[in-house]
Structure formats: structure tokens, C-alpha cells
Amino acid sequence: MNLKRRNAAVLATTFLAASAVTGIAPSAQAAEQACTYQAAYLPVPEGIESGSVTATGGAGVYAGEVQFPGDDSLEHAVLWTDGRLTDLGPAAGADFDLYVSDVNSAGTVVGHGAKITGVVEGFPNWTWFPVRSRDGKLEQLPVPAGSHDVQTRVVAENGDIYGDGYGADPNYREVYKWPADQPGTVVKPAGFPKGSKVEGVDTDGTVAVTVEDAPRGTWRPYLWKNGTARQLPIPAGAAHAQVTGISNGNVIGDALTADFARSAVVWNKDGRAAALPNGQGTTAINSQGLILGSNKRLVASLWQLTASAGAAPADGVLSTLGDDGSLAGAKARPGASYPRFPAVWRCG
């Protein structure tokens, strides 16, 4: 992470973002793995300083970001399809920073860039704006009039894109959709609870959200489909819960006590919540029910739904996993601990 990216991350962090596990670091205390993972580096553009995979689509489809040397260089979005590299370049119109949030099996990459809007006491103010890939590069997506800090979160298999941002009320996020069958347009889908932050989309179009009520200090898990939202139950002993992903009807997230102690949970297809054994946080789930997260010692760990599947690989930083069981993130090259470069781990 370069200095600009680090400063942006620090300034932009909220409690909820800080509590989520995104990119799990290795640990010497890792438990025995369920299988032997072998890491392989993905091809990268020449001259990069570092990079990481941040999203997976279908088998062999990955997306992420790479950084080039220099304080003024912009991160590039990168797409890998069956080992082939496509450098999508920076977010057009960005002053700094780029985040790749998702990719589908067709290779549509979505994310958001940052535009500086002013400086206060030496620190920049900025707003996020949404981008997607088209014809080998990133393009800005439209945003509703009066909205700001709009971020894409997910892209469905049919190409629909969902994200969220702020409109007239600065205390509550609202959901936006960029329909695949109406290119160049953006809509506000009906039925999302006030304060919804998009966390995932399933193959049947179900959108998982965390409803954040900042004034009240509450977090609630919801599922939305075809204009109707329903709340998932708060796990026993918890005061709040947030969603972190959804796949094949199963939803993962984190339960929070009144003191904000965190534990990992999964809601099954019937909406029943269950704790992940020794789990503290969740990061990703695939269609087979494999879950990536962290245990109580913050060691990268795996579960098969509610059953422990052992430790995750400890030789890199893991960000996501694919439907084929592969894990993805970043790994330092031999003989070094940093910087790290895009890598995929497969069970051997």
C-alpha cells in the first residue's frame, strides 16, 4: 500500500470497516490445514511495485489491483482470465486510489476510484465514484443527481451492478443499481431498508446487505430480492450483526455483542444462524459452502459451513476464494516478506 492509499484508508475508516476482516495475514500459530495448498503467482504488468487479487469470478477468473513505483502513480485494475493478463489501467478521472470490489465469470470488473474535492487543515477531502470495465479499460458509471461517495460493491452473473452511496441524508447509505439491460443508466431499487450497504449478490439475484443506522449505532443483516427485504435473525447473545457475503443461499457474517466483541456466523438457506467453531470473522464464501475467515487468534482459517476445515495457507495474505476452492490474495516473492504480488493457492 503506498502512502496515498494508506492515508486514504486511515481517514476513511469507520468502525464497521475496521471490524471486518479483509485480507488475512499469516500466523505461526496456524492449525493443521485440511489439505496442502500450493501457491502460484499470476502474471503482472511490467514494473509494478506490488499487487493483490481482491475478487474472483468463475473458474480461472480473478481481478485485483497493482501499484507502480512513485508517489503520483495511480493503481491499475487487473483482470486475469485462465492465466491471461488484462491491464485495465487506472480509474479514469481519479486523483488517487482505486479499489476493485468484484468480478463476474464474464470478466466484468467493478470498483471505485477517489476524486479530491478540497483540502481541510492539510488533509484532502475526497469523494468515491463508481467504475466498471468495458473494452479493456475502466469507465465511470453514472450516479444519481445529488449523490456522493458512491461505491460499487458487486456485479451479478447477468451483469447487473449494485453499490451504495449517500444522497440527501448524510447519516444513511442508499442502494444504487446499474442494470445490465439498460447501459448508461442508474436506478434506486425499491424495498431496501434505509442505511443499506451492499455486501453480496447471489446467482438468483438475492442481494445481501448490512443496514447501518449510524445515529442509533445499530447493524442489522438483511436479504433483498425483487423489491422485498427481510431481516435475518440476530444470533443468540449478539446485539448486532453484519453480513460479509452470500453464495448459493448461504450467508456469512459477523455477530457483535453490545461491547462489539465479534464472532463468525453463517445463516443457512432457511435463515437459521449458527456460529463457526472458534471463528472471529468471515471474509468470503463460495457456492460449495467453503468459508474463509479468521479464528479467535486472528489466524486465517477455513470452514465447510459449520464444520472447521483447518487453517488456511500461512505464506501470504488472503482476500477471497473461488467456486473451484482456490484461495487468492498476495504473496511475497522468495527471500522477502514484502512487497507482495498477486497469487492464487490451490489445494494439491
Side-chain angles (χ1 to χ4, degrees):
M1 178 181 285
N2 63 33
L3 182 60
K4 296 173 299 181
R5 191 179 184 88
R6 186 180 299 114
N7 287 342
V10 171
L11 292 169
T13 297
T14 62
F15 170 78
L16 187 58
S19 70
V21 179
T22 54
I24 303 170
S27 169
Q29 299 176 345
E32 183 178 356
Q33 294 178 3
C35 65
T36 302
Y37 283 91
Q38 301 294 328
Y41 293 103
L42 293 172
V44 294
E46 184 176 354
I48 73 164
E49 183 177 63
S50 61
S52 179
V53 179
T54 59
T56 59
V61 178
Y62 305 94
E65 310 133 27
V66 295
Q67 293 82 45
F68 289 84
D71 287 343
D72 295 327
S73 63
L74 294 174
E75 292 89 353
H76 285 209
V78 178
L79 170 68
W80 294 272
T81 306
D82 295 328
R84 298 189 305 275
L85 165 71
T86 302
D87 183 350
L88 299 169
D95 291 316
F96 68 98
D97 224 345
L98 168 70
Y99 184 72
V100 170
S101 53
D102 201 14
V103 62
N104 65 9
S105 63
T108 299
V109 177
V110 298
H112 36 275
K115 180 74 173 176
I116 294 175
T117 58
V119 178
V120 177
E121 297 182 351
F123 292 95
N125 287 337
W126 70 91
T127 185
W128 293 105
F129 62 88
V131 297
R132 60 153 290 167
S133 64
R134 188 189 298 275
D135 299 328
K137 62 181 180 180
L138 298 180
E139 66 176 16
Q140 289 194 29
L141 290 167
V143 299
S147 63
H148 64 95
D149 283 314
V150 177
Q151 303 176 40
T152 61
R153 304 292 184 183
V154 296
V155 55
E157 278 299 289
N158 70 351
D160 287 342
I161 299 169
Y162 291 89
D164 47 70
Y166 292 96
D169 192 332
N171 292 311
Y172 297 93
R173 303 191 73 90
E174 55 188 26
V175 175
Y176 307 126
K177 176 183 178 181
W178 295 267
D181 59 359
Q182 301 174 47
T185 66
V186 59
V187 298
K188 296 181 183 180
F192 280 100
K194 187 178 182 179
S196 291
K197 177 184 175 184
V198 176
E199 305 286 6
V201 61
D202 215 342
T203 53
D204 67 350
T206 299
V207 180
V209 301
T210 298
V211 176
E212 305 175 15
D213 191 322
R216 296 180 180 178
T218 60
W219 290 265
R220 297 287 183 265
Y222 273 81
L223 298 181
W224 174 97
K225 185 178 181 182
N226 297 331
T228 301
R230 64 180 177 92
Q231 184 178 339
L232 292 170
I234 301 295
H240 316 271
Q242 63 185 45
V243 176
T244 58
I246 183 173
S247 186
N248 196 25
N250 296 303
V251 181
I252 57 169
D254 302 336
L256 302 163
T257 67
D259 295 328
F260 297 104
R262 190 160 55 98
S263 59
V265 296
V266 59
W267 291 268
N268 67 14
K269 297 179 182 181
D270 295 325
R272 292 193 297 270
L276 300 186
N278 198 36
Q280 175 147 332
T282 55
T283 301
I285 182 172
N286 70 8
S287 63
Q288 308 306 308
L290 183 65
I291 299 169
L292 171 66
S294 62
N295 68 14
K296 296 297 184 181
R297 294 183 176 180
L298 297 183
V299 175
S301 302
L302 297 166
W303 291 264
Q304 183 62 46
L305 293 178
T306 57
S308 174
D315 57 343
V317 174
L318 305 174
S319 301
T320 187
L321 78 165
D323 276 345
D324 59 357
S326 62
L327 308 173
K331 174 180 167 65
R333 289 170 177 168
S337 59
Y338 192 83
R340 300 185 180 98
F341 298 88
V344 173
W345 287 256
R346 292 184 174 86
C347 188

